Every structure is written in C-alpha cells, then in structure tokens.
Amino acid sequence: MSVRPVEFAARDGFKLGGTLYRPAQPNGRAVLVNGAVGVRQQFYSAFAAFLEERGFTVLTYDYRGIAASRHGHVRDLPARIRDWAQLDAPAALEELSRAAPGTQLLAVCHSFGGNGLGLVPGSERYAGALFVGVQSGYWRHWSGMGRVGMWFLTHALLPGVASLFGYVPAAPSPAASRAAAWPLSR
C-alpha cells in the first residue's frame, strides 16, 4: 500500500494538489473522487483508504482555491466554479489515468462533483459513477419556507457576501475536521 501526495497541472497550467492511494494488489479499477464545493480532499481520506485496501487505485484532489490547491488568498484567484469542472476535474482524471494505466476508470461524485460531471471533458471515459448527495439548489424545486430560504440564499446572501469579500468565506464543518484528523488504520 502506498499513499502519497501528488501535484499536477490543470488544463490551464494551474497547480493542483491531490493524494494518490495505490493498493499492494491492484484489482484493475481506479476511482477518482470529485468532491463537494469547498470540501478538502482529506474529508474523503478514510473512504479512499477503504477502497485502496480492496484493490482500487484512488485519487482525491482539491479544486483550485481549496487546501492543497490554494496558492495565495482566495480573493486574488480569478476562478469560477465552472473552472473546477472544465479545467481541474479533467486534469485529475488524466493524472489518475497516468498513475493506473489500463485500468477501468470510475468516479465517486459528491454534491458539486456530480452536478459538474456533465461539464467535464473526457467524462465519457468513465465506466461508471456513484453520485452521493447530488442535488439542485434551484429555489423553485423547494417548497414552503425552504423555497423562500433558498431564494434568499442564492439571490441575496451568497451574491452579497461574494461581492463584499470577493469570495464566500467558510470554515470546515465539524464532520470535515474530524474526517481530516482520522488516522489511516492498517
């Protein structure tokens, strides 16, 4: 078993950070974990280790502006969420393909990772994908007060905060912090 940090270039040359999990006995399948908005790749480390122990080669990575793929202040990064799908995710797929040539490529897509998959150049190379917590935040899909709250969030609060700060500041959730601190047991 081998777990090591990797660095690779997005399609526009932006440096991205990831973690490659190589099994001692590969099963011929490789998994790319396309994460949720603002979620550090460490959140998926226990899951990636679980897959690696079962023979999967796994790559987790941070989108530009997040954790290992953050260079400088987020405010100074001229990036859009579309860049994560069109520039970062295909580069991660290429990195996984180089690390595990000839394997069946699979994706695990959490939230935005699944919403953005249709925008990813090369996504037709996947033999399969698992979607977890992939939903639409479109306010008209909600009912009652949830509809009002979602409209306020997406039309007033988030745009206002982004306009004020140049980005949307956030902190890791307690669950993400715990996941990042879990040791990989063998």
Side-chain angles (χ1 to χ4, degrees):
M1 195 251 357
S2 168
V3 177
R4 67 176 177 90
V6 294
E7 188 175 79
F8 53 96
R11 296 181 95 195
D12 63 349
F14 191 92
K15 294 294 180 200
L16 301 173
T19 303
L20 183 63
Y21 299 75
R22 286 187 187 268
Q25 297 190 340
N27 65 14
R29 293 172 285 183
V31 176
L32 180 63
V33 178
N34 291 306
V37 169
V39 175
R40 297 170 182 233
Q41 64 174 308
Q42 286 85 357
F43 179 77
Y44 307 104
S45 64
F47 176 64
F50 173 85
L51 291 175
E52 177 274 327
E53 289 171 354
R54 283 147 185 83
F56 293 86
T57 300
V58 182
L59 177 63
T60 61
Y61 67 102
D62 292 310
Y63 300 115
R64 64 185 63 213
I66 307 297
S69 299
R70 180 176 161 188
H71 314 291
H73 199 285
V74 175
R75 181 183 308 116
D76 302 324
L77 180 65
R80 300 170 304 173
I81 197 167
R82 183 182 306 160
D83 295 335
W84 292 354
Q86 295 180 332
L87 302 173
D88 299 355
L93 178 57
E94 282 305 313
E95 180 68 17
L96 181 61
S97 296
R98 279 191 297 276
T103 59
Q104 184 180 50
L105 299 172
L106 304 166
V108 172
C109 306
H110 178 207
S111 191
F112 167 77
N115 289 117
L117 192 63
L119 298 173
V120 176
S123 62
E124 70 279 355
R125 295 171 56 196
Y126 289 115
L130 172 68
F131 297 92
V132 179
V134 177
Q135 68 283 337
S136 170
Y138 182 58
W139 67 278
R140 288 190 182 190
H141 290 170
W142 294 70
S143 62
M145 287 307 293
R147 178 179 278 197
V148 173
M150 189 56 71
W151 184 94
F152 178 74
L153 177 71
T154 59
H155 287 78
L157 185 61
L158 290 177
V161 169
S163 178
L164 179 66
F165 293 106
Y167 66 102
V168 178
S173 70
S177 297
R178 282 192 306 276
W182 288 346
L184 297 178
S185 59
R186 294 281 163 250

